[in-house]
Amino acid sequence: MTNAWTQCSLEPQKPPSRTRRMFNYLHASTQCAKVLLISMNVICILLALFTFGFAVVDTRILKTYGEGQAAGTLVGDLVVIVASLLLVCVAILGCAGTIKNSIKILYLYVSLLLILVLLEIMIAIYVSLQRYGLQFMLSESLREDFFRNYTGEVKITRDKVWDDLQITYECCGLNGADDYAAIGQPISLSCCQRAYRARTANAQQQMYNSCLQTASYFRDGCEDAILDMLRADADYLLGVAVLSFWFESVCMLLALLVANQLKNAVSVYKHTVKY
């Protein structure tokens, strides 16, 4: 009797079923949160890479308008490029902390992501102001350049610039083909895309005459076409900033949730082992 009682008292007791259920629940919920956090970080990385590529292309486009006029906007694009690279690095850090179950790395990730969110908000405001300012400056510059009376080599250079603009943006004149009549010049050849791209002078002239007779030249003015493009770029950057803000906010909440669940899982595990 005594030996049986002693043997029973020395055997380790099984942990309570409620504690085991709590541990299993924490483990399952932590795994779900980790998968979701990694998925959100992957989306943030893809979003940052797309923004990086957009900013690089936009920088090249803005240089065509002159670095003097677009200087502030170019700086904004460079800042966007740096912020995109930082977001990629921070997202990778978050994935590493999630995979390694490192509470310290997750807290560091949340801190860096919070700083990055605040930085992105300031960048979005700065880029928006600079881009709207560029629209006004560019509109004034286009008007002055189109209606100014150039001669000699300067006129050839100006005409080449406008030919490139009209072919690139499929536009004609400042606000339309009628602007050429206002400055006493025939409609530019580059307003007729097929004629401008013709290989021989004879074919070019025939297509140009046909273009004028059928009024098949570009209808939109270059001012509206260029400003619409700049507005679309500004809207894209603002949209990306808002989208990034929500994704990054969700990532921060998930990271805090995972870190807290890991801490709770450790406490529950210690409590289970104790029993």
Side-chain angles (χ1 to χ4, degrees):
M1 181 78 175
T2 305
N3 294 335
W5 173 260
T6 305
Q7 183 178 2
C8 181
S9 63
L10 292 177
E11 289 180 355
Q13 298 180 2
K14 295 182 179 180
S17 59
R18 183 179 179 182
T19 306
R20 289 200 305 271
R21 287 198 301 268
M22 183 181 297
F23 179 78
N24 293 333
Y25 169 76
L26 284 173
H27 179 73
S29 60
T30 301
Q31 293 302 315
C32 292
K34 286 169 64 177
V35 171
L36 187 57
L37 178 57
I38 292 175
S39 301
M40 296 293 288
N41 276 310
V42 171
I43 294 175
C44 286
I45 291 173
L46 294 176
L47 192 62
L49 292 177
F50 277 120
T51 305
F52 174 84
F54 169 82
V56 171
V57 174
D58 191 59
T59 301
R60 296 176 181 176
I61 294 174
L62 290 176
K63 286 182 178 180
T64 62
Y65 305 137
E67 296 188 7
Q69 291 182 340
T73 311
L74 286 172
V75 171
D77 278 340
L78 293 177
V79 175
V80 169
I81 290 173
V82 174
S84 299
L85 295 176
L86 289 176
L87 179 57
V88 171
C89 295
V90 173
I92 293 174
L93 178 66
C95 291
T98 305
I99 294 172
K100 292 182 177 181
N101 293 329
S102 175
I103 298 175
K104 292 182 179 180
I105 294 180
L106 286 174
Y107 281 143
L108 176 62
Y109 163 74
V110 172
S111 302
L112 293 176
L113 197 57
L114 180 60
I115 295 173
L116 194 57
V117 167
L118 297 176
L119 179 63
E120 288 174 349
I121 293 174
M122 292 187 289
I123 291 173
I125 295 173
Y126 175 79
V127 171
S128 299
L129 293 176
Q130 289 294 331
R131 195 162 294 268
Y132 285 124
L134 176 63
Q135 292 179 22
F136 289 112
M137 290 189 295
L138 185 59
S139 178
E140 183 178 352
S141 176
L142 288 172
R143 289 178 178 275
E144 181 181 356
D145 186 69
F146 186 83
F147 290 108
R148 178 176 293 183
N149 186 20
Y150 291 104
T151 58
E153 294 294 332
V154 179
K155 183 178 184 303
I156 295 174
T157 303
R158 193 280 304 269
D159 291 343
K160 180 65 171 59
V161 171
W162 276 92
D163 285 340
D164 293 338
L165 289 176
Q166 289 172 156
I167 287 296
T168 300
Y169 295 102
E170 297 185 354
C171 55
C172 186
L174 185 68
N175 296 304
D178 294 338
D179 289 338
Y180 281 100
I183 60 175
Q185 293 183 11
I187 295 176
S188 174
L189 180 66
S190 57
C191 291
C192 303
Q193 188 175 30
R194 293 183 60 190
Y196 186 77
R197 299 186 185 282
R199 296 184 178 182
T200 64
N202 185 32
Q204 195 173 70
Q205 187 61 43
Q206 290 181 359
M207 290 182 180
Y208 177 68
N209 293 334
S210 175
C211 176
L212 296 181
Q213 292 173 1
T214 59
S216 57
Y217 40 77
F218 298 133
R219 295 289 183 176
D220 296 331
C222 291
E223 181 181 15
D224 289 337
I226 295 173
L227 292 181
D228 287 344
M229 186 271 295
L230 290 176
R231 293 189 193 101
D233 289 350
D235 292 341
Y236 173 82
L237 289 174
L238 285 176
V240 168
V242 172
L243 190 62
S244 297
F245 172 79
W246 287 111
F247 274 108
E248 290 162 4
S249 298
V250 173
C251 286
M252 285 189 289
L253 293 176
L254 285 173
L256 290 174
L257 177 63
V258 171
N260 289 331
Q261 287 182 337
L262 289 174
K263 290 172 65 176
N264 292 335
V266 171
S267 300
V268 173
Y269 178 76
K270 290 181 178 179
H271 181 71
T272 304
V273 172
K274 182 178 180 181
Y275 285 94

